[in-house]
């Protein structure tokens, strides 16, 4: 053997050994990496693969109104569970299930013969009625089980539907508050996990882990169901009377921004949301629709003019001849021929367009638009609902004399109803612009204790208390003596403003005889506790004026709501000024069968023209129940005999 | 204390020979004991499910281990130079077996490969014998022709040709794992025998080109590689075994879940007592248990290299190196697969994985190594 070769071999043997150490070192490092660095992650993944979870559904939080009345809850809705291995006669079982669950026998057969340990018939067998569940229970079929489950129930049907929204079959919020607050309402699923081997058998000696479901929190709203009921009723009536394209109403507490009521038409039943056009539930009109506000917007112009002291309502005067020339264009007043000579208070009462144009001119574009922005127009109000729109204002560089003039009386701007409500609330509450909100409190579902309460969010202070008071007084006079007389409520000092907004048609021009008529009101005028906005889109068979259609409805809403809320009656309000056709009418009494002597007590208000002779009244004209102006004559016919 | 070994040694040679390497023997016994325990722990669930006997595999493994040890002691007493004499016939028999296994009817097909000859428990894997046969032959050939080893055509090429014929036959079964171990073991032997480094570099380049060629010709092969790089891309296909293996090792942590507490053996890790037994070991005994076994294997390698260094002749050196190299390479490849360092190849872990023929054969080769150690000049 050669010596040199031997040395080489020894060197190389040592080299091989060192390489071996290197490889073992790498292996050890990798082993440490797997067990320490990515060990936890692998542990989690492995546990996921070992554990089988039986899901326990939490109960979704209830939704309550301000006074604790339930407006969304859960009701038992059983679900059919099939264990295919236990079914002996699949064809028979399939036929039974198909007839009870309204499905085809073929589909049912597929379900009951599935290769799975437990089958849930989706969707026919989920959340079925108690009647159906009983029908299945009675059959007592092997391998068919009825499992408890719950579904969302809205006891008042269409009531508040757009605000509430709805939740889907897995109790997941899909729309409205149900969606917006889904995370808090839905709770957390519970699980019973047991470790299983890869063949699905429970592993021996491994403890089950139970995590109880956490029920969702109850949501108490700012909505007052009494006010909401009134609004729903009035909208139903308006819908029946005017067959409008749409209608909406909002009531808020101007001192917090809390929404007391909100509704719109067309609406839907949240439990049957699939049955209506998605556009109906996707469009929550009070926050989604944008249109030219019309005269209700004049409140903003008025607020700006008063705060900037460019006008004195009582001293300054304006002569309206029916139109005004601005930058070469002629803008007409809604009243042909104009309102003639007026103080600016009368300009407000008459909703005189040329008068407001002069207010806009006195302010100038920069100041007017600065107020419009401050009042929150052109941006979302931030209400806790999805699907709110911004509205559109003229861009500063677009504003010429005509744009300034039309904006001043509410044309050429596009706003949402909720923006108007919040802006007017700020105008009458002393200048405080609040963020509107619906979720007032979160309550523990078990103890009922308050978990959190929403504090009103003050966004801005825009005008002074003095200006605000002046606006309230001016708007109270609009209702007492101006265009808003329909909204007058005896003893509650209602203030407000009518609006009749033109709509832009598909051709980009204003449509004729198709308006959004609206009214925004508040009460009591000395310390407003409620602001109500109502808009009716294209009412039929009527004069499309806000004062005619919308104001009386708001009057009804106001009167009933203020009484329901227990607001104290006021003594010192402005008296309503009656004008034709506002003079109170007298109902013709039924005088037939009375004697001359009985007639004495009716003579106070009526003038009688008597015909015939005798003691008994046998007929009268007009008929009983007909309304006639005071002092009008009633003709009566006498006879000797008492009529039958 | 070395005298104690005398009971196993034939008296005639006792005076002139050393006792066999003690540390080597201790590490073998340690591995065997851990092996039988781990085979039991890993296979109990599977065995109970399949044979209604949780000890089914453990009992057999114990039997193989005892048989193997007896064989080891027997071979330990056969002077290693005997193998040099029979190197050629051994190689020829091995080749015959390797060809025979490919013939349907003789070779048994198991798991998509035709690797076994024989009946039931008495079946053998010719490729396993080929590894040992080739090591014996190559040691003889290289010792006889050491002066040519630096020559490309007379030393390097003939050895390579022989290796690649054997490799080719094994790949026809196919049995990539055994083939790779065989080639790498032989290359280590040629390297230690004194072949030029430049030849290896050339070989490396050819190998790389061939590897790329294989991938280009059949792109599906790349899947096996990507599977090990990111097994979660195909968790139910190529990545399945490695993911299940990592799910065992990862949760093991430092101390492990405790002996017998593996969860992955519950049918998650396929045949946990075979190729992936190290994963169950790392799950139950943790990083401490894993590194302990690695250290024992390193100890084995050290003693083996030491025997090789101290062997009285070149044949002994190369034979010892071949044996310890074969075992160590198998250990490195198996564990690297299990911990996700290299793609899955299908190699058992010596001494620990369940399997009779390979355990017996490994112990026989250790017997040869121990015999060499008795002639070592330390």
């Amino acid at each position: 053997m050669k010596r040199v070769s031997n040395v080489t071999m020894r060197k190389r043997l040592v080299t091989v050994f060192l390489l071996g150490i290197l490889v073992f070192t790498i292996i050890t490092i990798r082993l440490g990496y797997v067990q320490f660095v990515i060990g936890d992650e692998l542990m989690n993944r492995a546990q996921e693969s070992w554990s089988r979870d039986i899901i326990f559904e939490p109960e979704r939080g209830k939704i309550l109104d301000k006074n604790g009345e339930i407006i969304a809850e859960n009701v038992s809705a059983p679900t059919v569970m099939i264990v295919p291995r236990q079914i002996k006669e699949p064809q028979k079982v399939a036929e039974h299930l198909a007839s009870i669950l309204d499905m085809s026998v073929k589909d049912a057969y597929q379900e009951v013969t599935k290769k799975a340990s437990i089958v849930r018939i989706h969707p026919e067998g989920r959340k079925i009625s108690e009647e159906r569940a009983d029908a299945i229970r009675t059959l007592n079929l092997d391998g068919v089980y009825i499992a408890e489950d719950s579904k969302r129930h809205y006891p008042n049907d269409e009531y508040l539907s757009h605000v509430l929204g709805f939740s889907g079959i897995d109790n997941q919020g899909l729309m409205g508050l149900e969606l917006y607050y889904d995370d808090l309402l839905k709770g957390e699923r519970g699980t019973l996990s047991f470790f299983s081997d890869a063949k699905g058998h429970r592993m021996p000696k491994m403890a089950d882990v139970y995590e109880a479901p956490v029920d969702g929190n109850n949501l108490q709203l700012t909505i007052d169901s009494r006010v909401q009921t009134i609004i729903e009723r009035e909208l139903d009536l308006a819908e029946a009377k005017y067959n409008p394209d749409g209608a909406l109403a909002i009531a808020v507490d101007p001192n917090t921004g809390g929404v007391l009521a909100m509704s719109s038409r067309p609406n839907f039943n949240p439990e049957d949301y699939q049955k209506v056009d998605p556009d109906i539930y996707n469009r929550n009109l009070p926050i989604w629709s944008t249109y030219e506000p019309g005269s209700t917007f004049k409140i903003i112009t008025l607020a700006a003019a008063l705060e900037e002291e460019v006008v004195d309502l009582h001293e300054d005067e304006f002569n309206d001849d029916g139109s005004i020339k601005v930058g070469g264009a002629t803008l007409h007043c809604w009243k042909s021929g104009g309102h003639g000579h007026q103080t600016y208070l009368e300009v407000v009462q008459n909703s005189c367009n040329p008068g407001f144009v002069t207010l806009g001119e006195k302010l100038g574009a920069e100041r007017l638009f600065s107020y419009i922005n401050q009042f929150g127009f052109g941006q979302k109000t931030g209400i806790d609902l999805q699907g709110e729109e911004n509205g559109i204002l003229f861009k500063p560089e677009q504003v010429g004399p005509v744009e300034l003039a039309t904006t001043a009386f509410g044309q050429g701007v596009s706003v949402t109803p909720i923006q108007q409500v919040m802006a007017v609330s700020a105008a009458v509450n002393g200048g405080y612009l609040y963020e509107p909100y619906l979720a007032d409190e979160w309550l523990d579902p078990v103890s009922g204790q308050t978990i959190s309460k929403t504090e009103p969010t003050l966004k801005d202070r825009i005008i002074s208390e003095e200006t605000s008071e002046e606006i309230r007084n001016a708007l109270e006079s609009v209702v007492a003596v101006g265009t808003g007389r329909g909204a007058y409520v005896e003893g509650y000092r209602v203030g407000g403003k009518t609006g009749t907004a033109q709509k832009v048609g598909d051709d980009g021009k204003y449509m004729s005889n198709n308006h959004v008529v609206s009214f925004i009101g508040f009460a009591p005028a000395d310390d407003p506790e409620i602001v109500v906005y109502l808009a009716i889109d294209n009412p039929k068979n009527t004069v499309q004026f806000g004062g005619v259609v919308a104001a009386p409805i708001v009057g009804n809403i106001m009167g009933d709501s203020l009484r329901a809320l227990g607001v104290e009656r006021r003594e010192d309000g402005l008296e309503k000024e009656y004008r034709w056709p506002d003079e109170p009418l007298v109902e013709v009494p039924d005088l037939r069968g009375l004697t001359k002597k009985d007639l004495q007590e009716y003579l106070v208000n009526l003038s009688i023209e008597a015909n015939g002779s005798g003691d008994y009244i046998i007929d009268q004209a007009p008929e009983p129940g007909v309304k006639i102006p005071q002092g009008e004559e009633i003709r009566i016919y006498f006879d000797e005999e008492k009529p039958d | 204390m070395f005298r104690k070994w005398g009971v196993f040694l034939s008296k005639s040679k006792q005076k002139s020979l050393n006792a066999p390497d003690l540390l080597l023997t201790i590490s073998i016994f340690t591995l065997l004991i851990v092996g039988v325990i781990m085979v039991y722990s890993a296979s109990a669930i599977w065995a109970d499910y399949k044979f209604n006997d949780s000890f089914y595999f453990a009992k057999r493994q114990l039997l193989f281990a005892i048989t193997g040890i007896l064989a080891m002691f027997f071979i330990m007493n056969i002077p290693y130079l005997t193998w040099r004499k029979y190197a050629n016939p051994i190689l020829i028999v091995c080749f015959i077996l390797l060809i025979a296994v490919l013939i349907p009817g003789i070779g048994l097909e198991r798991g998509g490969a035709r690797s076994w000859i024989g009946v039931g428990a008495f079946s053998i894997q010719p490729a396993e014998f080929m590894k040992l046969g080739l090591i014996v032959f190559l040691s003889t050939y290289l010792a006889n022709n050491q002066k040519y080893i630096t020559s490309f055509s007379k030393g390097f090429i003939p050895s390579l040709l022989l290796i690649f014929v054997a490799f080719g036959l094994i790949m026809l079964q196919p049995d990539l794992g055994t083939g790779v171990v065989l080639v790498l073991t032989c290359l280590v032997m040629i390297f230690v025998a004194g072949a030029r480094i430049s030849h290896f570099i050339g070989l490396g380049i050819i190998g790389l080109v061939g590897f790329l060629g294989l991938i280009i010709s059949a792109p599906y092969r790349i899947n096996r590689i990507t599977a090990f790089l990111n097994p979660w891309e195909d968790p139910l296909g190529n990545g399945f075994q490695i993911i299940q293996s990592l799910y065992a090792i990862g949760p093991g942590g430092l101390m492990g879940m405790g002996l017998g507490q593996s969860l992955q053996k519950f049918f998650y890790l396929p045949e946990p007592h075979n190729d992936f037994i190290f994963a169950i070991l790392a799950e139950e005994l943790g990083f401490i248990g894993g590194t302990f076994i690695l250290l024992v294997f390193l100890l084995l390698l050290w003693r083996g290299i030491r025997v090789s260094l101290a062997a009285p002749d070149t044949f002994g050196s190369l034979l010892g190196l071949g044996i310890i190299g074969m075992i160590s390479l198998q250990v490195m490849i198996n564990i690297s697969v299990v911990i996700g360092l290299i793609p899955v190849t299908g190699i058992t872990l010596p001494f620990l994985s369940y399997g009779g023929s390979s355990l017996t054969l490994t112990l026989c080769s250790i017997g040869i190594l121990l015999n060499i150690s008795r002639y070592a000049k330390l």
Side-chain angles (χ1 to χ4, degrees), chain B residues 128-144:
Chain B
E128 294 284 334
F129 284 87
M130 189 46 150
K131 280 192 294 189
L132 204 52
L134 199 57
I135 288 167
V136 171
F137 179 83
L138 206 60
S139 306
T140 310
Y141 177 81
L142 291 173
N144 291 344

Side-chain angles (χ1 to χ4, degrees), chain B residues 23-44:
Chain B
L23 280 176
L24 191 60
T25 319
I26 290 173
S27 47
I28 295 302
F29 274 88
T30 309
L31 289 170
L32 283 177
I33 291 164
V34 173
V36 171
I37 294 170
M38 284 315 299
V39 163
Y40 169 67
S41 177
S43 72

Side-chain angles (χ1 to χ4, degrees), chain A residues 5 12 30 35 45 50 196, chain B residues 191 195 232 264 268 287 339:
Chain A
S5 168
R12 289 195 175 184
R30 168 72 186 179
Q35 297 199 299
R45 290 190 190 218
W50 296 330
S196 149
Chain B
F191 167 74
W232 279 275
Q264 280 297 88
Y268 286 101
F287 184 73
I339 61 178

Side-chain angles (χ1 to χ4, degrees), chain A residues 433-450:
Chain A
L433 183 70
Y434 285 102
E435 187 175 278
Y437 65 98
L438 287 153
D440 193 25
E441 281 186 60
W442 287 97
L443 308 174
D444 185 287
V446 181
S447 66
Q449 299 280 310
T450 300

Side-chain angles (χ1 to χ4, degrees), chain A residues 327-345:
Chain A
T330 305
L331 301 169
H332 291 278
C333 190
W334 60 272
K335 186 177 181 184
S336 56
H339 292 96
H341 195 77
Q342 316 159 86
T343 64
Y344 269 95
L345 183 61

Side-chain angles (χ1 to χ4, degrees), chain A residues 85-240:
Chain A
R85 278 186 210 124
Q86 300 177 356
I87 289 177
K88 288 163 197 142
E89 297 166 283
Q91 183 61 35
K92 206 184 102 199
V93 171
E95 279 166 20
H96 279 304
L97 290 178
S99 73
I100 294 171
L101 299 176
D102 283 339
M103 60 193 295
S104 77
V105 176
K106 195 174 141 249
D107 290 348
Y109 186 81
Q110 259 177 9
E111 298 279 4
V112 301
T113 54
K114 257 187 196 162
K115 283 207 172 75
S117 50
I118 298 177
V119 176
R120 200 168 58 167
I121 301 179
H122 180 89
E124 295 92 341
R126 294 190 61 193
K127 318 220 165 185
I128 60 174
S129 65
E130 280 294 341
E131 293 79 56
R132 286 183 175 188
D134 279 341
I136 293 172
R137 278 194 199 102
T138 316
L139 290 170
N140 204 10
L141 300 165
D142 282 336
V144 179
Y145 298 91
I146 301 291
E148 269 315 307
D149 199 349
S150 68
K151 75 171 178 187
R152 207 62 164 156
H153 177 55
Y154 304 89
N156 302 322
D157 301 332
E158 285 89 356
Y159 186 92
L160 198 64
S161 51
H162 280 101
V163 172
L164 292 174
F166 46 82
S167 58
I169 196 156
D170 293 313
N171 285 337
Q172 77 282 32
L174 293 177
M175 193 57 66
L177 289 170
E178 296 274 26
L179 171 64
Y180 196 89
Y181 289 116
D182 193 36
D183 283 345
L184 289 160
L185 286 168
K186 72 181 176 195
E188 279 167 45
R189 276 182 164 181
T191 49
L192 176 66
S193 342
F194 61 90
F195 284 114
S196 149
D197 65 28
K199 294 188 188 299
H201 302 108
R202 187 178 284 247
M203 269 197 226
K205 287 183 281 179
M206 294 294 294
D208 294 345
V209 182
Y210 177 66
E211 269 183 65
V214 181
D215 287 346
N217 295 330
N218 289 348
L219 170 59
Q220 185 148 31
L221 301 180
T222 57
I223 297 285
D224 188 314
S225 59
R226 296 168 301 183
V227 180
Q228 182 72 26
T229 305
I230 293 160
I231 275 185
E232 299 281 3
R233 181 196 72 204
E234 290 299 324
L235 286 179
D236 285 342
L237 290 174
E239 209 180 20

Side-chain angles (χ1 to χ4, degrees), chain B residues 310-343:
Chain B
D313 51 45
T314 308
F315 173 73
S317 279
L318 290 175
L319 185 60
L321 169 73
I323 289 164
I324 199 65
M326 173 184 77
I327 291 170
S328 298
L329 279 167
Q330 219 165 309
V331 168
M332 291 170 184
I333 291 173
N334 174 276
I335 295 180
S336 297
V337 166
V338 169
I339 61 178
L341 263 180
I342 59 169

